[in-house]
Amino acid sequence: AEDSDFFRRHLEKTLGEEGYSVTSCRDGQEAWNRLEDMETLPYALITDIEMPGMTGLELTTRVRSNQRTAPLPIIALSSLAGDEDIKRGRQAGVNEYEIKLDRESLLQKLLHLN
Protein backbone atom coordinates (compact mmCIF):
# COMPACT_ATOMS: atom_id res chain seq x y z
CA ALA A 1 0.00 0.00 0.00
CA GLU A 2 1.61 3.21 -1.20
CA ASP A 3 -0.06 6.46 -2.19
CA SER A 4 2.90 7.78 -4.20
CA ASP A 5 2.69 6.60 -7.83
CA PHE A 6 6.48 6.89 -8.12
CA PHE A 7 7.27 4.72 -5.09
CA ARG A 8 4.49 2.25 -5.89
CA ARG A 9 5.83 1.67 -9.42
CA HIS A 10 9.37 1.46 -8.06
CA LEU A 11 8.32 -1.21 -5.54
CA GLU A 12 6.40 -3.16 -8.17
CA LYS A 13 9.48 -3.18 -10.41
CA THR A 14 11.94 -4.01 -7.63
CA LEU A 15 9.88 -6.85 -6.20
CA GLY A 16 8.84 -8.14 -9.62
CA GLU A 17 12.49 -8.38 -10.69
CA GLU A 18 13.08 -10.59 -7.65
CA GLY A 19 10.25 -12.94 -8.64
CA TYR A 20 7.58 -11.67 -6.25
CA SER A 21 4.01 -11.37 -7.47
CA VAL A 22 2.84 -7.89 -6.46
CA THR A 23 -0.64 -6.56 -5.80
CA SER A 24 -0.36 -2.83 -5.32
CA CYS A 25 -2.85 -0.51 -3.68
CA ARG A 26 -3.10 3.28 -3.48
CA ASP A 27 -3.95 3.45 0.22
CA GLY A 28 -4.71 1.46 3.35
CA GLN A 29 -8.42 1.12 2.67
CA GLU A 30 -7.85 -0.35 -0.79
CA ALA A 31 -5.26 -2.74 0.68
CA TRP A 32 -7.67 -3.85 3.42
CA ASN A 33 -10.47 -4.41 0.89
CA ARG A 34 -8.18 -6.55 -1.25
CA LEU A 35 -6.97 -8.57 1.75
CA GLU A 36 -10.58 -9.29 2.70
CA ASP A 37 -11.29 -10.56 -0.83
CA MET A 38 -8.21 -12.81 -1.12
CA GLU A 39 -8.66 -16.54 -0.64
CA THR A 40 -4.97 -16.90 0.18
CA LEU A 41 -3.12 -14.16 1.99
CA PRO A 42 0.07 -12.79 0.46
CA TYR A 43 3.55 -13.63 1.71
CA ALA A 44 3.81 -10.16 3.27
CA LEU A 45 2.22 -6.74 3.37
CA ILE A 46 4.42 -3.73 2.65
CA THR A 47 2.82 -0.44 3.57
CA ASP A 48 3.64 3.22 3.65
CA ILE A 49 2.80 4.91 6.94
CA GLU A 50 1.55 8.31 5.76
CA MET A 51 -1.35 7.93 3.34
CA PRO A 52 -4.66 9.73 2.91
CA GLY A 53 -7.71 7.91 4.18
CA MET A 54 -6.53 4.84 6.06
CA THR A 55 -2.89 5.22 7.09
CA GLY A 56 -0.40 2.39 7.25
CA LEU A 57 -0.67 2.30 11.04
CA GLU A 58 -4.46 2.07 10.83
CA LEU A 59 -4.12 -0.70 8.24
CA THR A 60 -1.66 -2.56 10.47
CA THR A 61 -3.99 -2.25 13.47
CA ARG A 62 -6.89 -3.60 11.41
CA VAL A 63 -4.82 -6.50 10.08
CA ARG A 64 -3.66 -7.42 13.60
CA SER A 65 -7.18 -7.25 15.05
CA ASN A 66 -8.61 -9.71 12.50
CA GLN A 67 -8.12 -13.41 13.28
CA ARG A 68 -7.59 -14.39 9.64
CA THR A 69 -5.08 -11.66 8.77
CA ALA A 70 -3.33 -11.26 12.14
CA PRO A 71 -0.38 -13.59 11.27
CA LEU A 72 0.43 -11.66 8.07
CA PRO A 73 3.98 -10.25 8.19
CA ILE A 74 4.00 -6.46 7.76
CA ILE A 75 6.86 -4.25 6.64
CA ALA A 76 6.40 -0.52 7.08
CA LEU A 77 8.13 1.47 4.36
CA SER A 78 8.29 5.14 5.28
CA SER A 79 10.24 8.35 5.13
CA LEU A 80 9.43 8.82 8.84
CA ALA A 81 12.66 7.68 10.44
CA GLY A 82 12.56 8.95 14.01
CA ASP A 83 12.65 6.68 17.05
CA GLU A 84 9.07 7.65 17.94
CA ASP A 85 7.89 6.80 14.41
CA ILE A 86 9.49 3.37 14.58
CA LYS A 87 8.09 2.84 18.09
CA ARG A 88 4.54 3.68 16.89
CA GLY A 89 4.96 1.23 14.02
CA ARG A 90 6.08 -1.55 16.34
CA GLN A 91 3.25 -0.81 18.76
CA ALA A 92 0.73 -1.09 15.91
CA GLY A 93 2.15 -4.50 14.99
CA VAL A 94 4.68 -3.87 12.23
CA ASN A 95 7.24 -6.68 12.00
CA GLU A 96 9.91 -4.64 10.23
CA TYR A 97 10.33 -0.90 9.74
CA GLU A 98 12.20 0.18 6.62
CA ILE A 99 13.20 3.67 5.56
CA LYS A 100 12.33 4.50 1.91
CA LEU A 101 13.94 3.02 -0.14
CA ASP A 102 16.96 0.88 0.54
CA ARG A 103 16.40 -1.87 -2.00
CA GLU A 104 18.85 -4.38 -0.53
CA SER A 105 17.66 -3.90 3.03
CA LEU A 106 14.01 -4.35 1.99
CA LEU A 107 14.81 -7.53 0.06
CA GLN A 108 16.78 -8.92 3.01
CA LYS A 109 13.90 -8.22 5.37
CA LEU A 110 11.50 -9.99 3.03
CA LEU A 111 13.76 -13.03 2.93
CA HIS A 112 13.95 -13.26 6.72
CA LEU A 113 10.30 -12.72 7.64
CA ASN A 114 9.58 -16.34 8.49
Side-chain angles (χ1 to χ4, degrees), residues 1 23-42 45 51 53-55 58-60 62-63 66 68-69 72:
T23 301
S24 63
C25 302
R26 294 182 185 273
D27 60 34
Q29 186 63 56
E30 183 181 348
W32 176 250
N33 292 344
R34 290 218 183 150
L35 285 171
E36 284 188 302
D37 292 341
M38 292 178 168
E39 282 187 39
T40 304
L41 292 176
L45 170 65
M51 295 182 286
M54 185 186 294
T55 69
E58 292 167 334
L59 173 60
T60 298
R62 188 170 286 187
V63 167
N66 180 282
R68 179 175 166 265
T69 58
L72 182 63

Side-chain angles (χ1 to χ4, degrees), residues 61-86:
T61 299
R62 188 170 286 187
V63 167
R64 294 292 179 240
S65 67
N66 180 282
Q67 184 177 5
R68 179 175 166 265
T69 58
L72 182 63
I74 300 174
I75 297 176
L77 191 61
S78 180
S79 58
L80 299 174
D83 291 341
E84 283 300 312
D85 299 311
I86 295 169

